[in-house]
Amino acid sequence: MKFNPNYPNDNNKGQRQLWNALKNAFEQDEGVAYYRYPIFATSKRGRSEPDFLMIHRRFGIWIFESKGCTIGNIAAIEGHDWQMRDWYADSMSPISQIEAQLFEVRALFKPSPMLEKLKIPFEYRVVLPFISASEWAMQGFSKHPSTNGVVWLEEDILQTSFRQQVKAVSSAYMPTLDDAQWEQILGVFRGIATTEPPRQPNPGAPVSCHSRVIHAVESRLRILDEKQDRISQEVPEGPQRMRGIAGSGKTVLFTRRVAQMHASNPDWEIAFVFWSRSLYQQIRNLIDKHYRRLTGATPDWNKLHIWHAWGSKELTGFYRELAFRWKCRFLSFGDAEKMTIHGESAYEAACRNLEEECKSCPSLLDAIVIDEGQDLPASFYRIAHHALRAPKRLYWAYDEAQGVDSLIVPNASEIFGRDEQGRPCIDLSGSYASGMQKAHNMNCCYRTPRQILLAAHAINMGLFREGGPLQGITRKEDWIALGYQVVEGDFSAASVKACATVMLQRPDKTSGHPIDNPEFGAPLDKSTILVIHESLSQAEDVDFVATSIHRDLESGLRPEDIAIVGLEPTRYLFPQIEDRLRTLGIRVLSLNNQNKDQFHQAGYVTISSIRRAKGNEAYKVYALNLHMAGALQAKSPEKEMIARNQIFVALTRTKLWCVAVGRHGSIMKELLDTSKNNGFLRFPAFNQASLKRSMSDTDALQENLCSQTTVSA
């Protein structure tokens, strides 16, 4: 059984006792248990958040409410009202409370007639872990009609009896569940990735056309996996880092977490911070949708902020808002650009200046959630940490492969420094007292097909690059963390010296796209998933893209399903493509300074720079000018690595098909080499010394170092 502590236990001894009892009794069983599962009633009952919710495959749905009182705290029980002494309240009604919770949990099943027909048992108990059966009987409470059979005591949750008690109540009338039914039950509590109905294929469309493939993809109900479920609901009692590959759901999970935090703690002031302006509407919509699902109401946008990292007059942001609230000097882009030193960006200069000025300023916020963390400088994180009230709920997500302007890896030890003993000032190894992990790794890609993701990683690192990779990882643990399996070879000194072959594959368990599922039955020409097109000129690019998109629309794609992105320079290329598409009667949404807060518009093909495309997605992506990431064009290893990151972003924007376009040369050759590997990556072994940049997880390395130190001590 998986145990998800969504919140710290607030030093509640009774809840800790029951949580440990659940683990001891059901650890080997199939199911999931939540501490403080978020349920918000839309009726007059108000909030109905259970202390503990257990979903058990053999014993049904159980709710437990823990009260850590002793027998001396209970003065009298009159119906559902308990009169208390020396307690936090003069009275309480735990049975009425848990009955209301049960009502709301049962309501989660109502939208599904199939689940309603299963007759799953729903049970509830009030648990008093510090009161014995003899004490309870001596006070005459054991025969009280309102508590009989509903209240469990100290003996009932002992390891030897807890499981037997639960089994005796519900196993006799619990139906046997097949895997599909069990998955649907879990989906009720985990949530699904989208609530939109699947798109219907065009009438009379050919069997293998785009619209039928999209229908087949959207028809596969995707339930959040166990790790996504845990991450989206937990609210750790301190900083937390999430490292995740493209398409692993980082934005969705953090927007769900923010909505839940806001619903559970309406008095908290929370900020969701991101880098790409075009993500604004998507983030707002995701938060609003999940908050409405939880509460039936609209978020209080005065307490819950969606801030672009910088901000502008028309749409404030993190830097702008804090500078004004703290009454520090605010630098415009132009002012900040004049203050740059040592090759830093304007935003780095602005944050450096604010960090110097805000040291004596008060904390302002209760939680900050950061998406696209790889694009933000270390000074930004230190400002965010300073702006937070205790216990410093700073949560950030990043993917170092998607840094399109910098090569920053936001590891805690590098951002916040180390103490005199060399230990990180903010240590992300291990877990908090609540059991919530301080760092997560997300390695399953749900957005982009495996074939494209393999190519994107190969180009990103330069695995087939003449002269060897520029950036990458050389530990088996890091490859596993990235979602790969080392099938053959290693990165030992002997292997590197012998240029021995390393072979990787991406297993099914980290390939979450529907078309990578062996059971995906819709006809799909796999050769169309990644098309590599070498062109001779910009004029050929324009002709090829315009003709291909016209054909796409005839095959069932909608204009908004298509995005065109490209490495710079696109100053002349994009307008020419836009003009050609317009002559074909195809409308275009060009992302520019006048249109920067959305990525899609119904009936329009999107044209975007890679910076503005980041974080967004489309069913088919045309990635142009890929040759500009070659060593000759980039002119320095650092610029080449950034350009390769940009290719990674471009390729992984797709949800199904990608067309990679560029001139003949090193990059297109690497793409072709990747496509010949039949689902594997085969390349000569290399070591860290040969790399310009390591992509190893240094926070994880610190955890291993701490563990080794503890063992040796």
Side-chain angles (χ1 to χ4, degrees):
M1 181 169 288
K2 302 295 183 181
F3 294 89
N4 295 349
N6 294 335
Y7 280 84
N9 58 32
D10 302 322
N11 295 317
N12 186 306
K13 293 181 181 179
Q15 290 177 353
R16 280 207 307 272
Q17 186 89 346
L18 181 51
W19 188 237
N20 291 331
L22 282 165
K23 289 181 178 179
N24 292 334
F26 299 101
E27 192 168 15
Q28 302 304 316
D29 293 16
E30 189 172 4
V32 58
Y34 298 93
Y35 168 60
R36 291 179 65 183
Y37 183 84
I39 297 176
F40 302 86
T42 55
S43 65
K44 293 181 180 179
R45 279 183 293 273
R47 183 173 167 184
S48 302
E49 189 176 77
D51 278 355
F52 302 100
L53 172 65
M54 181 173 73
I55 299 96
H56 196 291
R57 185 160 184 171
R58 290 180 56 199
F59 304 148
I61 315 298
W62 282 80
I63 300 172
F64 299 101
E65 181 71 21
S66 174
K67 299 299 180 186
C69 55
T70 64
I71 195 66
N73 294 130
I74 305 175
I77 296 178
E78 300 171 0
H80 280 349
D81 295 326
W82 295 20
Q83 302 305 314
M84 308 298 291
R85 63 167 74 96
D86 300 326
W87 190 241
Y88 66 84
D90 294 333
S91 65
M92 64 179 182
S93 304
I95 296 172
S96 296
Q97 180 183 357
I98 199 169
E99 285 176 347
Q101 294 167 1
L102 179 73
F103 182 90
E104 297 302 332
V105 171
R106 289 186 70 101
L108 297 175
F109 277 52
K110 286 184 178 178
S112 172
M114 185 278 286
L115 293 180
E116 287 275 275
K117 289 179 182 177
L118 284 176
K119 305 297 183 185
I120 302 293
F122 288 80
E123 294 289 341
Y124 62 90
R125 295 294 183 272
V126 173
V127 179
L128 309 177
F130 303 128
I131 298 178
S132 67
S134 60
E135 291 175 323
W136 191 249
M138 191 176 298
Q139 294 299 318
F141 297 146
S142 58
K143 296 181 180 180
H144 197 287
S146 70
T147 63
N148 191 25
V150 179
V151 173
W152 280 0
L153 304 164
E154 181 181 17
E155 292 87 346
D156 295 310
I157 62 168
L158 294 175
Q159 184 172 0
T160 53
S161 59
F162 198 175
R163 193 174 184 279
Q164 289 304 315
Q165 292 273 55
V166 168
K167 180 180 179 181
V169 171
S170 59
S171 63
Y173 61 104
M174 175 71 184
T176 300
L177 303 173
D178 61 34
D179 289 345
Q181 291 168 334
W182 176 236
E183 279 298 309
Q184 277 214 293
I185 290 171
L186 290 177
V188 168
F189 299 98
R190 288 180 178 171
I192 57 176
T194 179
T195 57
E196 300 297 324
R199 180 192 306 185
Q200 294 304 309
N202 295 347
V207 174
S208 60
C209 76
H210 286 99
S211 68
R212 291 198 181 276
V213 176
I214 291 173
H215 172 74
V217 168
E218 292 184 350
S219 295
R220 297 183 70 91
L221 178 70
R222 194 179 77 71
I223 296 166
L224 298 185
D225 65 34
E226 184 275 326
K227 179 175 279 189
Q228 289 178 313
D229 175 41
R230 185 169 75 250
I231 292 172
S232 70
Q233 295 192 41
E234 65 186 11
V235 182
E237 60 267 43
Q240 185 190 60
R241 183 218 74 181
M242 178 165 66
R243 183 193 193 198
I245 65 169
S248 57
K250 298 183 294 296
T251 301
V252 171
L253 301 189
F254 267 178
T255 54
R256 289 170 71 95
R257 180 186 291 188
V258 163
Q260 177 186 311
M261 284 195 295
H262 181 48
S264 298
N265 307 277
D267 56 322
W268 284 6
E269 191 165 1
I270 303 168
F272 189 109
V273 184
F274 61 101
W275 180 250
S276 301
R277 280 285 298 259
S278 59
L279 276 176
Y280 176 81
Q281 200 58 51
Q282 179 192 145
I283 289 168
R284 185 182 174 96
N285 289 343
L286 286 168
I287 292 173
D288 181 72
K289 183 183 293 185
H290 192 60
Y291 186 83
R292 286 175 184 271
R293 189 180 75 83
L294 288 173
T295 68
T298 303
D300 179 358
W301 299 113
N302 293 315
K303 284 289 189 179
L304 175 52
H305 310 291
I306 304 173
W307 285 341
H308 178 254
W310 196 311
S312 61
K313 289 181 180 178
E314 67 273 13
L315 190 66
T316 192
F318 174 86
Y319 167 72
R320 183 182 186 87
E321 193 71 21
L322 291 188
F324 283 122
R325 288 201 195 188
W326 279 332
K327 295 181 172 54
C328 294
R329 180 168 50 150
F330 171 76
L331 299 175
S332 67
F333 178 85
D335 292 336
E337 210 169 26
K338 294 174 185 175
M339 294 183 63
T340 58
I341 57 174
H342 307 307
E344 66 186 359
S345 68
Y347 188 69
E348 286 178 289
C351 285
R352 172 174 51 79
N353 181 74
L354 181 58
E355 183 185 11
E356 291 169 358
E357 291 193 19
C358 76
K359 291 178 180 176
S360 60
C361 295
S363 54
L364 302 170
L365 302 167
D366 297 285
I368 298 176
V369 177
I370 301 163
D371 198 10
E372 304 183 294
Q374 71 279 349
D375 295 312
L376 299 165
S379 53
F380 163 89
Y381 287 90
R382 293 190 290 268
I383 294 168
H385 190 264
H386 180 76
L388 283 165
R389 303 182 182 100
K392 303 291 185 181
R393 300 180 189 91
L394 179 65
Y395 312 135
W396 70 95
Y398 78 97
D399 176 5
E400 65 273 2
Q402 295 192 67
V404 299
D405 288 302
S406 69
L407 299 174
I408 294 169
V409 177
N411 290 313
S413 57
E414 297 172 15
I415 292 170
F416 301 105
R418 298 175 181 271
D419 61 20
E420 294 178 354
Q421 285 72 43
R423 295 183 177 276
C425 295
I426 292 181
D427 185 3
L428 295 183
S429 61
S431 303
Y432 287 105
S434 62
M436 285 178 272
Q437 290 177 235
K438 296 180 181 179
H440 285 294
N441 180 68
M442 304 290 292
N443 61 11
C444 185
C445 180
Y446 292 99
R447 178 203 297 139
T448 303
R450 174 165 42 199
Q451 178 183 344
I452 298 173
L453 189 62
L454 286 168
H457 272 134
I459 294 296
N460 173 245
M461 297 184 192
L463 297 179
F464 303 108
R465 176 180 177 272
E466 185 177 348
L470 285 170
Q471 56 187 353
I473 50 180
T474 57
R475 294 195 317 146
K476 183 177 181 180
E477 299 92 323
D478 284 325
W479 282 112
I480 292 171
L482 204 56
Y484 288 90
Q485 179 182 348
V486 181
V487 178
E488 176 187 323
D490 57 40
F491 297 88
S492 64
S495 295
V496 173
K497 185 176 181 180
C499 292
T501 297
V502 174
M503 184 165 71
L504 308 176
Q505 71 173 359
R506 196 161 188 87
D508 289 344
K509 68 179 182 180
T510 59
S511 301
H513 196 283
I515 71 165
D516 293 325
N517 189 316
E519 297 178 3
F520 184 74
L524 174 63
D525 182 355
K526 293 293 181 75
S527 68
T528 65
I529 296 171
L530 176 60
V531 173
I532 301 167
H533 178 81
E534 289 188 348
S535 61
L536 298 175
S537 66
Q538 185 166 293
E540 184 182 332
D541 291 341
V542 174
D543 289 338
F544 172 73
V545 170
T547 303
S548 298
I549 289 176
H550 189 263
R551 192 162 51 242
D552 292 337
L553 298 177
E554 291 179 338
S555 183
L557 283 182
R558 298 171 180 172
E560 63 267 26
D561 292 331
I562 302 169
I564 303 167
V565 299
L567 274 66
E568 297 293 344
T570 58
R571 181 180 177 185
Y572 300 108
L573 174 62
F574 279 1
Q576 288 178 25
I577 292 175
E578 183 175 350
D579 288 344
R580 184 67 58 85
L581 290 174
R582 291 186 191 280
T583 63
L584 294 171
I586 301 168
R587 293 182 292 183
V588 174
L589 174 68
S590 291
L591 270 62
N592 49 42
N593 287 334
Q594 286 71 46
N595 180 32
K596 53 192 174 186
D597 296 327
Q598 64 174 343
F599 190 75
H600 293 288
Q601 185 174 338
Y604 290 76
V605 171
T606 298
I607 297 183
S608 169
S609 68
I610 288 174
R611 288 174 180 82
R612 289 195 165 121
K614 196 158 61 64
N616 291 287
E617 59 190 24
Y619 270 115
K620 188 165 188 177
V621 169
Y622 287 83
L624 312 182
N625 276 353
L626 300 192
H627 59 280
M628 295 306 297
L632 292 176
Q633 290 81 4
K635 297 182 180 178
S636 76
E638 289 72 23
K639 290 182 179 179
E640 185 180 349
M641 284 187 284
I642 287 175
R644 285 175 178 271
N645 284 7
Q646 291 175 350
I647 291 183
F648 180 88
V649 170
L651 298 183
T652 57
R653 293 314 89 202
T654 185
K655 296 197 289 182
L656 250 173
W657 299 277
C658 184
V659 181
V661 181
R663 309 287 178 273
H664 178 75
S666 58
I667 294 296
M668 303 308 286
K669 181 179 183 302
E670 289 177 42
L671 276 171
L672 289 167
D673 288 344
T674 305
S675 67
K676 297 173 185 175
N677 272 266
N678 298 319
F680 293 90
L681 292 175
R682 297 180 181 88
F683 52 88
F686 57 91
N687 56 24
Q688 289 290 319
S690 68
L691 299 176
K692 297 293 183 182
R693 177 187 182 226
S694 171
M695 298 168 71
S696 293
D697 187 349
T698 58
D699 287 330
L701 287 170
Q702 178 64 34
E703 179 176 357
N704 292 339
L705 178 63
C706 291
S707 300
Q708 293 166 10
T709 304
T710 303
V711 170
S712 63

